[in-house]
Amino acid sequence: MRVNKKYSCLPAEEKGIHIINIRAIEDIGYDQHESTLLNSLSKNPDADCKYGLYFRDGKRKVDYILVYHYKKSSAGKTLSRRAQQNDASVCSSKQEQPLPGKGVQLEMGDSEPHMDYHEDDKRFRREEYEGNLVEAGLELERDEDTKIHGIGFVKIHAPWNVLCREAEFLKLKMPTKKMYQINQTHGLLKKINSVIQKITEPIQPKVAEHKPQMVKRLSYPFSREKQHLFDLSDKDSFFDSKTRSTIVYEILKRTTCTKAKYSMGITSLLANGVYSAAYPLHDGDYEGENVEPNDRKLLCEEWASYGVFYKYQPIDLVRKYFGEKIGLYFAWLGVYTQMLIPASIVGIIVFLYGCATVDENIPSMEMCDQRNNITMCPLCDKTCSYWKMSSACATARASHLFDNPATVFFSVFMALWAATFMEHWKRKQMRLNYRWDLTGFEEEEDHPRAEYEAKVLEKSLRKEHKHKETDKEKLTWKDRFPAYLTNFVGIIFMVGLTFAIVFGVIIYRISTAAALAISSTPSGRSSVRVTVTATAVIINLVVIIILDEVYGCIARWLTQIEVPKTDKNFEERLIFKAFLLKFVNAYTPIFYVAFFKGRFVGRPGDYVYIFHSFRMEECAPGGCLMELCIQLSIIMLGKQLIQNNLFEIGIPKMKKFIRYLKLKRRRSLDHEEHMKKKQRYEVDYNLEPFAGLTPEYMEMIIQFGFVTLFVASFPLAPLFALLNNIIEIRLDAKKFVTELRRPVAVRAKDIGIWYNILRGIGKLAVIINAFVISFTSDFIPRLVYLYMYSENGTMHGFVNHTLSSFNVSDFQAGTAPNDPLDLGYEVQICRYKDYREPPWSENKYDISKDFWAVLAARLAFVIVFQNLVMFMSEFVDWIIPDIPKDISQQIHKEKVLMVEVFMREEQGKLQMLETWKDKDKKKGGNCNNHSPRLSRSRSGSLSSCHSYPLDV
């Protein structure tokens, strides 16, 4: 392997120091006081390299880190450490080792134990790969003498010429010297903006990048031929750390090591354990005394702190440090949280309206009036007795809090809110694209994944074994058909499992209600329904949280066996499967209560049974909307509190503590080495690796569904989502800044497939809310009664109108109550909630015409509501332009200015050409009589007086 001298230490013999002499000095005992004095006078090499942020020369910045495991004998480690500790002039105590196969390994050869085949194979692959990286222009430095024994680090630095080359390949837009004025508002708008800025100044982060800009640099894709256009006065800061790590990562993905026809990039090497980790470094420490100012520390103070929860996010600084993709996630989360504020205010007003009008609600007053003496039919067979409707008074009054005319208005409002939120985000996204120089950016096809390459290699080797000449292989649908079949069967099975669990909870509710009805006291029977509902919802919550984790793992496994070609394809397929499974898991219990409970009960004397013994559940006299509200609120709040917050805080802390215990157990260092400060790459290695944004988006998308899909039954959902998100933003920020390794910056101009999922949920929310209002609430039956059946134009008599009568003599054998005199009198007629003919009618217990009138009104409302709200949403979408007018003007202005820059440059070249032609005419004779003289053009190239046309 070819090794550049400036990337490694010189052997000890070349510097006139022999290892035997060093050991002899140690054996005879060196004066401790003199050694202490010498150490105090010598310069700390770790401080020169800023504890791992730079190479040992203190000049070359570490852009990327590769980590690998190695096996080393204790004798070899002692010998190596002694040689390096006394060689501080060139290699310090933490100095880099020569690249594999060179230098020190010859000295340790006798004491090095024989490694197994797999370790040798990994070492050879690392040697070849690192050699290819050096040939690609990168500079490497190795460090194996760290506090983490058995772990080696390869530090990578990209020099200026490599950065320029790769920036041109990646078409990175970089700021030029040309600056222009950003269009400012005038007149009344300017005064309004200034007032808003003064009001919001206390909640603005104290970050330079967040201040409003008056001027902006013109950006242009970097080109080595046009370097004169860019401001290269400070080459060290021209490419920031985020851009440098992105460039190095592209080289790592592109560089391969080929061994026995096996082509491997960095993703394959990581997957096969040749390297254990690869990551860019954080900018430095974020806490402690004497910490130098850096972006990470600034983010920790102004963003990743719960004390600044009321402030705006420094999105530009987040993008500068983590890249566009993560910046867009937090920008979207910030916009979503801001938009929840008006939704929360309206939801609170709707809830307060229900509280204020509960005493004026005639149906609930009739249900609570004991003078009506309405006797209801038993809720279960034999063990349950007749009961008074007035015993359900509390449930009826609570139902009015969420089932009132204001909830219909709130459903329409939330549908329009969702459409406005999507349009507002599109406009915000365009502003960010303009500010971050992403206009015109198009994502190119990514490198194939390691698993895909391995599968293609396996296929090509199989065909070669059959002596077939093949072109470049790729996986077809035939190769993936077993995986597709497994995916289909697996998803169907998981959905069926979710339905089975919900069905099991239904059996629990029915059996528990019957058991409590037997054992409860008369005063406690009224709370049986609430008790059963609450316990069943808690069971559902626990099952949902467990299955969420299981389904996440299953979705990843199903995606892996498909072997998608690129990381983008893998991510999109994983998102689709995970969202489908988690959506079904989270919302199936809620869908059951909203649309199925109480629909297939039957009637007294002809009930529908499960397993010939359990009757189907009935809704409360006030309807199922209150139960839906309880179900939704407990699942939403429990999921947010337990899964989103406690898990995100507790699990990383627990993993960090386990890693600390492992390192403490493995640590066998002397006191002096233990007291040394860790290098930056050692500290970052102990952090949790970045696992992608899919879990972060997923929990917010599920929450968006809770806020929009069933908002008609729970107007306070936006408020609880807002409170959760205020904590979630700072929690995620703290996790990214302090708990995770720094992710590789990825360019992106939008949030990808998540936007389509959000739009789909917004459309589905209109339909679901229409059905909730029509079929789950009593809004439509009340309207029908008010305008068709009410004698005095009021709601008096509505409760009696919705109840049908049943003659107790028509009970089936063995289903009548065991204690028919439980109320103190004999019951002849009991009532039940349905629209059926009375027992004295010719067609007794048949569905009445009132039922069909209400059903027709319900279906008509669904059609009208759905089309009206869809039309209004599309109108909002049409009336709000996707691109803000000022941003459109600025983008056009940039194009015009860029054309002017190139035209001015072209004119300068033409004038120079004319000048040279005039000089050539005057000195033509000299050129013919003398040898051609060399002249230097402005661009720095050498040309003769006969070659100027070629140079221009």
Side-chain angles (χ1 to χ4, degrees), residues 61-63 236-247 280-283 295 320-321 742 745:
K61 186 177 177 63
V62 176
D63 298 319
D236 292 336
S237 62
F238 183 73
F239 295 106
D240 57 14
S241 59
K242 176 250 312 177
T243 307
R244 296 175 71 98
S245 62
T246 302
I247 288 174
L281 293 178
H282 280 292
D283 279 359
D295 287 342
K320 178 185 174 185
Y321 193 79
R742 188 174 183 177

Side-chain angles (χ1 to χ4, degrees), residues 111-161:
S111 60
E112 184 76 23
H114 177 69
M115 289 199 241
D116 58 19
Y117 168 76
H118 294 292
E119 290 298 321
D120 284 338
D121 183 59
K122 290 179 181 178
R123 181 163 56 85
F124 292 148
R125 289 182 183 178
R126 285 198 296 269
E127 289 177 4
E128 182 188 357
Y129 184 70
E130 289 163 11
N132 292 339
L133 292 179
V134 172
E135 291 179 358
L138 298 178
E139 299 176 3
L140 310 181
E141 188 175 85
R142 185 183 301 282
D143 186 0
E144 288 186 352
D145 190 16
T146 63
K147 293 183 73 174
I148 309 175
H149 286 295
I151 301 293
F153 297 90
V154 178
K155 296 173 276 187
I156 302 177
H157 168 76
W160 173 254
N161 61 326

Side-chain angles (χ1 to χ4, degrees), residues 656-841:
K656 192 175 181 180
F657 181 70
I658 292 173
R659 285 197 301 270
Y660 170 75
L661 292 178
K662 286 183 179 178
L663 289 174
K664 191 175 180 181
R665 194 180 301 116
R666 291 167 55 187
R667 196 174 285 156
S668 57
L669 307 173
D670 55 16
H671 179 69
E672 180 183 353
E673 187 169 355
H674 178 69
M675 294 302 292
K676 289 179 182 177
K677 184 177 178 179
K678 278 187 176 182
Q679 302 283 8
R680 178 78 262 153
Y681 43 85
E682 295 179 76
V683 176
D684 287 3
Y685 177 72
N686 292 328
L687 298 177
E688 191 74 14
F690 176 63
L693 289 171
T694 300
E696 315 298 335
Y697 272 115
M698 188 66 72
E699 66 183 67
M700 289 294 104
I701 296 297
I702 296 295
Q703 184 204 81
F704 182 78
F706 282 120
V707 169
T708 55
L709 291 180
F710 295 94
V711 74
S713 63
F714 190 41
L716 295 179
L719 174 63
F720 290 114
L722 173 64
L723 298 176
N724 174 81
N725 288 5
I726 291 173
I727 301 173
E728 181 74 21
I729 289 176
R730 307 303 164 180
L731 183 65
D732 284 347
K734 196 172 185 66
K735 181 172 66 175
F736 273 83
V737 173
T738 64
E739 301 287 343
L740 298 180
R741 293 175 190 160
R742 188 174 183 177
V744 179
V746 178
R747 287 189 297 168
K749 64 178 182 179
D750 52 40
I751 59 175
I753 193 175
W754 297 109
Y755 181 80
N756 297 329
I757 293 176
L758 284 170
R759 284 191 67 88
I761 292 177
K763 302 291 185 186
L764 183 62
V766 177
I767 302 172
I768 290 179
N769 281 303
F771 277 95
V772 168
I773 295 171
S774 294
F775 289 90
T776 309
S777 75
D778 281 339
F779 177 73
I780 299 300
R782 287 172 185 167
L783 286 182
V784 172
Y785 176 79
L786 185 64
Y787 293 106
M788 291 183 62
Y789 300 103
S790 178
E791 297 178 356
N792 53 6
T794 65
M795 294 300 296
H796 288 287
F798 170 73
V799 174
N800 185 61
H801 177 75
T802 58
L803 297 177
S804 298
S805 300
F806 178 76
N807 193 332
V808 297
S809 62
D810 293 332
F811 271 122
Q812 290 181 350
T815 62
N818 294 333
D819 186 10
L821 301 176
D822 185 57
L823 294 178
Y825 56 87
E826 185 178 359
V827 178
Q828 299 292 333
I829 300 292
C830 65
R831 309 295 295 275
Y832 61 98
K833 191 176 177 66
D834 203 349
Y835 291 100
R836 291 183 180 271
E837 297 290 345
W840 51 84
S841 173

Side-chain angles (χ1 to χ4, degrees), residues 367 376-380 384 387-389 391-392 394-396 399 508-509 512-514 516-517 520 523-537 597-598 601 615-628 630-631 833:
M367 289 182 63
M376 303 297 293
C377 295
L379 297 174
C380 60
C384 297
W387 55 285
K388 292 281 191 180
M389 174 171 272
S391 63
T395 306
S399 296
Y508 161 81
R509 292 159 66 114
T512 306
L516 290 176
S520 295
S523 60
R525 289 177 187 173
S526 59
S527 61
V528 167
R529 191 184 298 273
V530 177
T531 304
V532 171
T533 300
T535 55
V537 171
K597 184 179 179 181
V601 177
R615 269 169 49 182
M616 289 292 291
E617 289 185 286
E618 297 182 43
C619 287
C624 280
L625 199 69
M626 184 60 198
E627 189 172 340
L628 176 62
I630 296 173
Q631 185 106 2
K833 191 176 177 66

Side-chain angles (χ1 to χ4, degrees), residues 172-175 207 209 213 216 219 240-243 245-246 295 299 303 313-331 432-439 742-748:
L172 296 180
K173 273 191 172 183
M174 304 302 295
V207 176
E209 286 80 0
Q213 297 179 346
K216 186 177 183 293
S219 296
D240 57 14
S241 59
K242 176 250 312 177
T243 307
S245 62
T246 302
D295 287 342
L299 282 172
W303 182 51
Q313 299 182 86
I315 292 298
D316 290 324
L317 184 59
V318 174
R319 172 254 179 180
K320 178 185 174 185
Y321 193 79
F322 291 110
E324 287 79 6
K325 192 170 185 178
I326 293 176
L328 281 172
Y329 163 70
F330 282 102
L432 294 176
N433 284 344
Y434 165 71
R435 265 175 24 207
W436 296 349
D437 298 322
L438 292 172
T439 52
R742 188 174 183 177
V744 179
V746 178
R747 287 189 297 168

Side-chain angles (χ1 to χ4, degrees), residues 183 190 297 646 686 827:
N183 292 339
K190 184 177 181 181
K297 186 174 185 294
L646 291 182
N686 292 328
V827 178

Side-chain angles (χ1 to χ4, degrees), residues 173-190:
K173 273 191 172 183
M174 304 302 295
T176 63
K177 297 176 183 177
K178 176 68 176 176
M179 302 180 70
Y180 67 95
Q181 192 83 13
I182 296 177
N183 292 339
Q184 301 295 323
T185 56
H186 300 284
L188 182 61
L189 286 177
K190 184 177 181 181

